[in-house]
Amino acid sequence: MAPLTGKVVVITGSTRGFGRVLAEQVADRGARVVVSGPWPEEAEKQAAALRERGVEALAAPGDVTDQAQVEALADAAVAAYGRIDIWVNNAAAATPVGRAFDIDPAEFRRAVSVNVLGTYYGARAAGIRMLAGGGGVIVNMLGRGDNTGPTPYTSPYGATKAWVRGFTRTLQKEYEKTSVRVVGFNPGMMLTDMLLNPHVVGDEGERAMKPFAVVTRIFADPPEVAAAELVAVLERDRPPRAVNRLGPAGATRHLARTAVRAITRRGAAVPALKVERLAVHGTTGAGSSILGDKGVDPAITGEPPEEQPALPAQ
């Protein structure tokens, strides 16, 4: 019997991108999957597709910025399957590339709401139920900035991922003598829509993006690669505390792969980037914008908070 057979797995932000791929892969290993996202129709469609394959799957609303929805998601999993074995805090908000003061403050609020509060709400909802029900594994998704170093031109995202790393390590210390295991997982760069359709702000942001096509070609993988590695981690009796696919070893591996591709002229083609430039957001004071509403990114309300950074993860 596969290690994940019968396990109850909840994945936030699992209707698109990496989360969707991960849901499919754990389902292939026999897990019972709870699909969630901020759009209930998408979640139900994904769950229905899994059920057609013979998988036990449930859809539940999952706007991670709403604590009540996160608690309801956890309750739905327990009501349907009796427990939660694995909870993956996958939902995340990417932000435009640009200098910190040029980026719309709303982007900072969005990054904190999704990446910080969403991770906290999810970990809390899962952890309380796991402690009461025999234990489990919580996975917090890391990314560029989780090494607490500077993240030029991606300050909202980098700062929130530094917080997630610190929060993850704190949970590991506080609950190390319990049956709850907390894992920090950095998937590296993934070829998802959020990565391939970045937004830039200002001349500095545009300059920062110039080498991005080359960086993507060298370091980015399809989301199936990182998902398979996370599945392997979850299949262990005692998962490691941290996994970084783009640490020194991972970077060396990607560079070697690029060299082989250059010699053999073989390898998967990387889709072209579609960069959208946004106006610089300047203010004369709280609530008084020099640019009016021209500096506002429509993605604040129109884009799903599900994916990875607009620059390489670290």
Side-chain angles (χ1 to χ4, degrees):
M1 182 180 293
L4 293 181
T5 299
K7 292 293 182 68
V8 180
V9 182
V10 181
I11 307 169
T12 65
S14 51
T15 60
R16 303 181 184 184
F18 174 77
R20 183 184 183 95
V21 172
L22 180 62
E24 292 171 348
Q25 290 197 12
V26 296
D28 288 341
R29 301 303 200 281
R32 295 179 284 181
V33 184
V34 181
V35 177
S36 72
W39 290 271
E41 297 81 4
E42 286 192 1
E44 180 52 44
K45 184 177 179 180
Q46 168 75 344
L50 293 174
R51 289 194 292 268
E52 288 178 1
R53 293 163 44 187
V55 176
E56 289 189 65
L58 170 72
D63 178 357
V64 299
T65 67
D66 183 340
Q67 185 181 6
Q69 278 199 36
V70 177
E71 291 289 334
L73 171 61
D75 285 339
V78 174
Y81 302 121
R83 65 182 190 277
I84 298 171
D85 297 303
I86 297 168
W87 180 291
V88 183
N89 282 312
N90 171 67
T95 51
V97 178
R99 294 186 302 180
F101 300 160
D102 293 340
I103 296 174
D104 190 328
E107 292 287 359
F108 279 82
R109 289 192 295 271
R110 184 170 68 101
V112 170
S113 294
V114 178
N115 301 350
V116 172
L117 292 177
T119 298
Y120 167 69
Y121 294 153
R124 183 180 187 276
I128 288 174
R129 289 160 179 82
M130 288 175 180
L131 289 169
V137 177
I138 298 170
V139 179
N140 291 335
M141 299 296 289
L142 305 178
R144 186 173 194 257
D146 66 37
N147 63 356
T148 68
T151 55
Y153 310 111
T154 57
S155 55
Y157 183 89
T160 58
K161 287 302 178 179
W163 182 90
V164 173
R165 175 68 180 274
F167 178 60
T168 299
R169 296 180 68 182
T170 297
L171 292 180
Q172 289 169 344
K173 186 65 177 178
E174 291 179 347
Y175 295 95
E176 63 183 351
K177 295 182 180 180
T178 73
S179 56
V180 174
R181 187 80 172 168
V182 183
V183 177
F185 184 80
N186 185 330
M189 296 183 73
M190 297 184 291
L191 296 171
T192 60
D193 288 342
M194 196 69 76
L195 182 76
L196 297 172
N197 296 276
H199 293 162
V200 300
V201 177
D203 293 339
E204 293 293 335
E206 195 163 287
R207 279 193 286 271
M209 285 297 299
K210 285 184 177 179
F212 189 56
V214 174
V215 171
T216 301
R217 189 162 59 250
I218 295 173
F219 293 107
D221 287 312
E224 287 80 2
V225 177
E229 186 160 342
L230 180 52
V231 168
V233 166
L234 296 173
E235 288 181 327
R236 299 186 192 181
D237 290 336
R238 190 170 178 79
R241 290 186 167 212
V243 177
N244 186 354
R245 295 199 64 256
L246 203 56
T252 300
R253 182 173 64 251
H254 282 80
L255 288 169
R257 180 186 66 183
T258 302
V260 170
R261 286 178 176 175
I263 295 171
T264 62
R265 298 184 181 277
R266 294 179 180 179
V270 175
L273 299 177
K274 298 179 181 179
V275 180
E276 179 181 347
R277 178 161 178 161
L278 307 177
V280 172
H281 189 90
T283 62
T284 56
S288 176
S289 173
I290 295 173
L291 298 175
D293 61 359
K294 294 181 181 180
V296 177
D297 179 4
I300 292 172
T301 56
E303 186 71 14
E306 287 195 8
E307 285 298 327
Q308 290 297 309
L311 285 180
Q314 295 181 357

